[in-house]
Amino acid sequence: MLHGLDPEARLRACIADIVQNHADAFACVILGDLAHKAEPAAYDLFREIVAPLPMPVHLMIGNHDRRSLLRERIPVAPSDENGFVQSAFDTPVGRFILMDTVEEGSNGGSYCEERQTWLVGQLEHAGDRDIYLFMHHPPFDCGIPCLDRIGQNDQADIARIVGGDARIKHLFLGHVHRPMAGSWKGIPFSSARATNHQVPFDLRELDHVPKSDEGPQYRVIFMQPDQVVVHFHDYLS
Ligand SMILES: [Fe+2]
């Protein structure tokens, strides 16, 4: 149990809903925090639960994960040349770039020079194709103090590399456990509720992250050249 909820049951329900309704999806991207405390048994269970997904599954890392344990228990997890859980691949609508924004030992994020160099290379490789970015931590403050306290520490570096790049058509975010949409440096972004617990819309200055019992979601993204539609699906409702 996690914050009074059963994450295994909720993830199983999510995967079953995807298998039933979206088996034709091009890909499934899971935006990190695959386990709560990087427990090896949780990674084994995660692997078993997502196995029925018929489409390619692309994994990312969150602040609750640990790179070495994640890679040990889920060997298909991607790796860049420096061991960060970053990957990029081409799709019919452009290049997807999945970034590792984790600072191990901290709930906040970082994006060091090694990762920045990898990102610059991926952006160059994309040429004139459209680009879709995926990050666990938002690269900006979202206005909810308890979330911004565990936000991205290297916002300026990320902004310098991707800000204003008109090829980037959307930024998909994890970490905030809330639906958010807007734009940052000219880039449209979205986040959604998580599969287990949520973070309430609470604007007080708190030294902890409160939890809410708002229902879980996943996103279904319809993409075509010049159009991205993000649907927020409350799969238990
Ligand atoms: Fe997170």
Side-chain angles (χ1 to χ4, degrees), residues 31 46 84 97 104 139 153 159 186 213:
L31 279 136
F46 174 89
F84 292 103
I97 300 176
E104 288 208 341
N153 290 308
D213 59 1

Side-chain angles (χ1 to χ4, degrees), residues 31-33 61-65 102 107 136-137 150 174-177:
L31 279 136
D33 288 346
I61 187 171
N63 49 298
H64 287 273
D65 298 304
V102 168
N107 283 319
H136 186 76
H137 299 80
I150 56 167
H175 195 52
V176 301
H177 297 238

Side-chain angles (χ1 to χ4, degrees), residues 178-191:
R178 292 204 56 76
M180 291 194 314
S183 65
W184 164 78
K185 308 289 180 191
I187 301 169
F189 67 79
S190 66
S191 69

Side-chain angles (χ1 to χ4, degrees), residues 119-185:
L119 176 59
V120 169
Q122 295 303 325
L123 295 170
E124 284 175 6
H125 184 75
D128 59 3
R129 282 170 289 175
D130 287 344
I131 295 167
Y132 298 87
L133 291 181
F134 298 75
M135 303 183 201
H136 186 76
H137 299 80
F140 51 84
D141 287 347
C142 66
I144 298 177
C146 70
L147 288 172
D148 292 337
R149 208 171 37 77
I150 56 167
Q152 172 58 256
N153 290 308
D154 294 326
Q155 295 181 4
D157 291 316
I158 298 173
R160 179 173 41 78
I161 295 169
V162 305
D165 189 329
R167 296 172 301 170
I168 302 172
K169 301 306 181 195
H170 202 86
L171 165 59
F172 297 95
L173 301 168
H175 195 52
V176 301
H177 297 238
R178 292 204 56 76
M180 291 194 314
S183 65
W184 164 78
K185 308 289 180 191

